[in-house]
Amino acid sequence: MFKLKICGVLLKSDIDAAAKAGADCIGLNFYEESVRYVEPDSLETLSMCRHARKLGLQRAGVFVNRSADEIAEIAQGLDLDLVQLHGDSTLADANELRELGIDVIKAVRLPTGSLSVKQIYDAASPWTSNGFHVLLDAESTEHFGGSGKQLDWKTIAEWAWQNPAAQWTLAGGLKAENVAEAIRTTGAKSVDVASGVEEPRGTKDAKKITQFCETAKAALN
């Protein structure tokens, strides 16, 4: 699994910046309502996937409320390394994809503000107890990921300590200015960023990618 993912890339130059900065995974967003949407059937998207692979980066596809059959077709056609499920995807969907040899991450959307360990456990345990990696992200009424909202890191740390077998990635409001603190506080072993390396929203900024990756790598190591 990746340690450092730059999600929502739109251009080959975004991929170049991620690879140069030391990220090990890029995310391609296949949710049509997102400002980071890329067309899964386009030659340009296929070219980006091949470019990322050539640079040694894992390729993750972000899907919202698509059927397992649709996801599998896209994942196999683009030779994705893993799929990230948002929205109302079920354990049955995830198991179907896993049976096809496709690695799955489930985005678990948590409220911002104070959390309880039970809230995190109730949201994540149906997935972690079945061996799935979860992405802890901030809940938003408008977006599936990339909202820029921050989570309750101290309570996530408590949950992680109580559930040492859980495989998880921290997302939600991360940026160069706070990612080291987020990693130290939560004990995260991997992080995911989208809006935190953009200027303006939806447009990746190479300098921000570099700053984020350098800071995150130092904290993760």
Side-chain angles (χ1 to χ4, degrees):
M1 190 58 67
F2 62 84
K3 289 186 176 181
L4 185 47
K5 174 164 161 270
I6 307 298
C7 201
V9 299
L10 294 174
L11 303 168
K12 283 185 178 179
S13 58
D14 299 337
I15 296 170
D16 289 334
K20 185 176 180 181
D24 56 357
C25 184
I26 54 100
L28 297 158
N29 195 319
F30 301 124
Y31 177 50
E32 292 183 359
E33 300 301 316
S34 173
V35 295
R36 306 174 185 92
Y37 173 72
V38 292
E39 171 56 55
D41 298 325
S42 74
L43 291 176
E44 183 177 357
T45 300
L46 178 60
S47 179
M48 284 200 296
C49 283
R50 288 175 173 172
H51 186 61
R53 181 179 183 179
K54 184 178 179 180
L55 294 176
L57 296 171
Q58 296 179 56
R59 288 88 57 212
V62 176
F63 297 90
V64 178
N65 296 339
R66 286 189 183 247
S67 70
D69 287 343
E70 288 179 295
I71 293 170
E73 182 178 359
I74 293 168
Q76 291 165 348
L78 293 174
D79 192 24
L80 299 179
D81 293 293
L82 54 126
V83 301
Q84 183 174 307
L85 304 180
H86 286 253
D88 302 320
S89 296
T90 65
L91 275 171
D93 295 325
N95 281 319
E96 185 176 339
L97 291 165
R98 183 159 61 182
E99 288 172 5
L100 293 172
I102 298 171
D103 287 337
V104 175
I105 293 177
K106 179 64 174 75
V108 173
R109 303 172 72 207
L110 300 170
T112 54
S114 296
L115 289 169
S116 68
V117 171
K118 185 178 185 301
Q119 279 178 288
I120 304 172
Y121 178 82
D122 288 347
S125 65
W127 300 92
T128 57
S129 63
N130 281 279
F132 289 105
H133 192 110
V134 294
L135 178 90
L136 303 182
D137 203 357
E139 188 175 71
S140 171
T141 57
E142 298 177 0
H143 309 287
F144 287 93
S147 68
K149 295 182 178 181
Q150 187 174 308
L151 293 172
D152 178 354
W153 297 337
K154 289 184 178 180
T155 305
I156 288 173
E158 293 179 40
W159 166 80
W161 183 79
Q162 293 180 26
N163 297 273
Q167 302 174 62
W168 59 281
T169 292
L170 182 66
L174 300 179
K175 51 189 175 182
E177 294 80 3
N178 67 12
V179 67
E181 180 187 356
I183 291 168
R184 287 194 297 266
T185 302
T186 64
K189 300 296 189 293
S190 67
V191 292
D192 182 299
V193 65
S195 63
V197 292
E198 294 176 348
E199 186 63 44
R201 181 174 175 269
T203 301
K204 293 294 184 284
D205 182 288
K207 183 178 180 180
K208 286 180 178 288
I209 289 174
T210 299
Q211 292 171 336
F212 181 90
C213 290
E214 288 178 350
T215 304
K217 283 190 298 178
L220 288 168
N221 292 334

